[in-house]
Amino acid sequence: MLNSTRPTRRSRRVVAATAGVATLALALTACGGSDDGGDDTASGDEKITLTVATFNQFGYTDELLASYTEDHPNVTVKQVTAATSEDARNNLTTKLAAGGEGLADIEGIEVDWLPELMQFPDLFEDLADPALDGRWVDWKVQQATTPDGKLIGYGTDIGPEAICYRADLFEKAGLPTDREQVAELLGGEDATWDDYFEAGKEFVAKSDSAWFDGAVPTYQGMVNQLEGAYEDPATGEPKDLKTNQEIKDLYDQVLAASVDGELSAGLEQWGEDWIAGFQNNAWATMLCPPWMTASIEQNAGGVEGWDVADVFPGGGGNWGGSFLTVPSSGPNTAAAKELAAWLTSPEVQTQAYENANTFPSQLDAQASDAVQSSTNDFFNDAPVGPIFSARAQAIEGAPFKGKNYFAIHTAVQNALNRVDLNGDDPEKSWQGALDEYASLGL
Amino acid sequence: MAVLSPTQPTHRRGAAGPRPPRRVGFSQRLGRWDVKVSPYLYISPFFLLFALTGLFPLGYTAFVSVHEWNLLGGQGEFTGLENYAAVLAQPLFWKSLVNTFSIFVFSSIPQVLLAITIAALLDQNLRAATFWRMGVLIPYVVAPVAVSMIFGRLFADDYGLINELLGFVGIDPIGWHTDRIASHVAIASMVNFRWTGYNALIFLAAMQAVPRELYEASVIDGAGRARQFFSITVPQIRATIIFVVITSTIGGLQIFDEVRMYDPKGLGGPDQDWMTTVVYLYDVAWGNQKNLGRASAVALLLFLLIIVIGMINFLITQRIATSGPKGAKTSRRRSRRVLAETVTTQTSGSTAPASGAAASGPPLPPTFPPTTSITDREDRR
């Protein structure tokens, strides 16, 4: 009985297997059939559609993009916008990893993504163009240029930092409230971090509020003024954190001010407590790039007294800013490059500033009337255009950020937060940063 | 299939040599295929999809884990088990495992106990029963990210609702983001909020299938509510308990959204006090390291861990109430033994009733014993 059933069972299995394979093959061919022809080249008058992938607010409206079609009748421009930069980043890295399938013709990126993307310059078109020399502030171009001179992104906006402050809290503590006087109080033209912290001690002695929101954002401003914070700019090799006295000094300085000087509100940026802190007068000043003014306005609705002072400790400082890149995998890279150049032109970026307050990185755009005459009513009608232009001019160069920058930076940030947020011992926490650095295996 | 049609008859003829050749009509052959192939075709969509979305990624992960592999740079050199060694040597990996396990204990155990209690209450004669039953499912409908955002506000350290309320009764604020255990409790509470009702409904469904006669009989025997619950309900829904415990274990070891949303960075705080293994995996692959090879090694280690804990779970839950009365649900091994006995008694020509256990089991359809005897043999091979 056993014998007679065997062949049947085997053949049954074969049939099942074949059926399975056949169905799978069918499914696969069905998948393969959905390719639509997107391979047309950019030459001549052929109709093409270019997609621009952005996130948050780049300030490109549909009307603005449609005006490109008027000059280039064969090109239609479409914008895809991700809700957050984190979404956009995941989308970009995942698709780059998959060989570029599904990427937009122009991908917007944030300056912080550059260290990792610059390791693979071949994934992007070289956008260097002598005709565009002098369009941007020098350091903006330098940020997106690889060691061998390839430019992978055209600059859109930048984040020159000023100091935002609460005039009402200043008044209660007996400090000057006028923005020129505040700039002087914080050290004026050649303000230092010590000046800023000293003014803070004067303030907290007479107020219930803290001076700044947290140690990490303040440290962020300080570390961005070092030329090569964690890595050697010449070689890109990471500096051993243990012997990196520059960083240890900043660490000690910012924690002495935050904890011993009681200047820090001990809040982590973007956390629930930080957001609630705006309504609870938790702190009186913060480092403030143009895009931060939008966040302050959003979270501090109903609070009156915010203002911007044209001053920044330790020279100028840049925080954030974006670029437009052209992934090499795209079918119309030449046309995309042309569009990216147009989108980052001073005229278009001036309009973008009017639309979304993205502070332009283009010199001509910064000097334009639209920027120079702009004010912000939430910040007591502060002339934000001229203030941030002046802050942009104070920036001397872009710090070097190699491929290990953010890994090491995170270790130091964690150490600062352990002290500032959790109340750990600074030395013990620094040891934790050294351990974390060691586990990176650099 | 075209390949098979010529071989099929040859087989047949070869096997049944002396039998006179007989023409088999095509429709007849089609009918036979229908019987033999159709069942596999009907279930094939699941298995094909599973192969595509489950089995293939699993195998590919194993492939990636033995290579140097940057998220953007792609495949590098073959490194053997180096990634595994590197991961096992990272203190953070072990810390994340401890965190995961701790959050799992704070979530799964209260969750199952609470769910079974709620289910027992819902199983009573309630007014507007559907309203209450659907009510417990509402938290499940809320997106996990929304839950995390709401709980993030509740558990904020300085201006959070819970600490404010504690302040009213004179308790010091709890450092939900500074104290390790407190953060685990907070995250576990989000998980519990979302899953307790869902599990309660599964338990409820199982409880409704328990024969009411058992309860009536127990009432006659003088059993109280508690006794009924432990001696009838729990043993009767044992299979469901195993199911819920295993799924909530797997879920508990994969906690991700809640941790990602718990603080602005979503990487377990400055000391990684509440970083779970899945978040660690995410950070290795998509964070600063972009090391997909190592992340794949973490994924496979987690997979093994889930299997091990799942097995332990299974063994423990198997022990629950083995002394209870056996109803429709008999264990597979037992029913197989019973069936084997039935087969033996049948083949030996005796019509004597089999063991008592078989008598209390479901009445067997006439064709049942021979079919299972084949599967039984197949298993043994």
Side-chain angles (χ1 to χ4, degrees), chain A residues 2 15 97 116 272-273 410, chain B residues 37 71 153 157-158 290 377:
Chain A
L2 208 75
V15 171
E116 71 190 43
E272 293 297 341
D273 281 331
T410 303
Chain B
V37 180
L71 181 66
R153 285 192 188 186
D157 287 7
D158 293 341
K290 298 257 181 293
R377 230 175 285 155

Side-chain angles (χ1 to χ4, degrees), chain A residues 52-55 58 60 92 106-114 117-118 127 136-145 151-158 318 320-326 340 344 349 361 398:
Chain A
V52 184
T54 62
F55 46 87
F58 270 58
Y60 300 141
L92 177 67
I106 293 176
E107 286 277 344
I109 62 162
E110 239 175 32
V111 59
D112 285 354
W113 314 351
L114 278 169
L117 297 178
M118 301 253 275
L127 302 180
W136 296 274
V137 289
D138 287 343
W139 53 266
K140 182 76 175 174
V141 181
Q142 193 191 324
Q143 279 178 333
T145 308
L151 180 69
I152 70 166
Y154 286 149
T156 57
D157 61 326
I158 50 173
N318 178 67
S322 301
F323 294 86
L324 294 182
T325 65
V326 177
T344 55
Q349 279 302 315
S361 59

Side-chain angles (χ1 to χ4, degrees), chain A residues 235-248:
Chain A
T235 59
E237 285 299 308
K239 296 177 184 171
D240 189 357
L241 196 58
K242 207 175 198 163
T243 56
N244 195 337
Q245 200 53 43
E246 242 180 343
I247 295 297
K248 182 68 180 12

Side-chain angles (χ1 to χ4, degrees), chain B residues 2-18:
Chain B
V3 185
L4 272 169
S5 31
T7 57
Q8 193 93 349
T10 350
H11 246 309
R12 260 288 187 220
R13 243 175 262 144

Side-chain angles (χ1 to χ4, degrees), chain B residues 102-111 114 139-140 144 146-156 162 176-177 180-197 252 255 258-259 262 274:
Chain B
S102 165
I103 294 174
F104 155 66
V105 168
F106 281 121
S107 61
S108 290
I109 294 174
Q111 195 185 112
L114 207 61
Y140 180 69
V147 173
S148 307
M149 287 180 76
I150 294 163
F151 276 72
R153 285 192 188 186
L154 297 181
F155 285 112
I162 292 179
W176 297 112
H177 291 76
R180 193 169 177 192
I181 299 295
S183 67
H184 293 180
V185 171
I187 291 168
S189 69
M190 298 182 210
V191 180
N192 290 341
F193 172 76
R194 192 165 139 74
W195 289 99
T196 307
I255 290 168
E258 290 82 3
V259 178
Y262 190 57
W274 56 91

Side-chain angles (χ1 to χ4, degrees), chain A residues 279 293-301 378:
Chain A
Q279 299 290 342
T293 60
S295 298
I296 294 175
E297 187 173 345
Q298 192 186 346
N299 291 318
F378 186 77

Side-chain angles (χ1 to χ4, degrees), chain A residues 2 6-16 18-20 23-24 86 89-90 93-94 96-97 116-117 119-120 123 265 267-273 276-277 280 282 406-407 410 413-414 417-418 421-422 424 436 439-440, chain B residues 1 3-4 8 11-12 15 33 36-37 40-41 44 48 52 70-74 90-91 149 152-153 155-160 177-178 260 263-265 267 269-273 282 286-290 294 374 377-378 381:
Chain A
L2 208 75
R6 252 196 192 157
T8 337
R9 265 181 34 226
R10 193 188 300 141
S11 62
R12 192 202 296 155
R13 218 176 290 155
V14 174
V15 171
T18 323
T23 324
L24 186 65
E86 199 55 32
R89 185 182 201 169
N90 285 341
T93 43
T94 309
L96 282 176
E116 71 190 43
L117 297 178
Q119 292 173 59
F120 308 100
L123 297 174
L267 300 174
E268 192 175 13
Q269 283 199 332
W270 319 114
E272 293 297 341
D273 281 331
N280 289 286
F406 286 101
T410 303
Q413 279 182 325
N414 282 339
N417 272 338
R418 278 194 292 266
L421 273 49
N422 300 5
D424 283 11
E436 206 174 322
S439 75
L440 291 173
Chain B
M1 268 172 246
V3 185
L4 272 169
Q8 193 93 349
H11 246 309
R12 260 288 187 220
W33 285 344
K36 288 178 181 166
V37 180
Y40 293 99
L41 282 181
S44 68
L48 289 173
L52 210 66
N70 183 289
L71 181 66
L72 290 176
Q90 294 267 335
M149 287 180 76
R153 285 192 188 186
F155 285 112
D157 287 7
D158 293 341
Y159 307 110
H177 291 76
T178 52
R260 287 288 293 162
D263 73 321
K265 284 216 190 64
L267 294 173
D271 231 354
Q272 285 87 30
D273 271 342
Y282 175 82
W286 281 271
N288 292 318
Q289 299 189 42
K290 298 257 181 293
R294 244 182 228 189
I374 289 169
R377 230 175 285 155
E378 232 173 344
R381 276 188 332 121

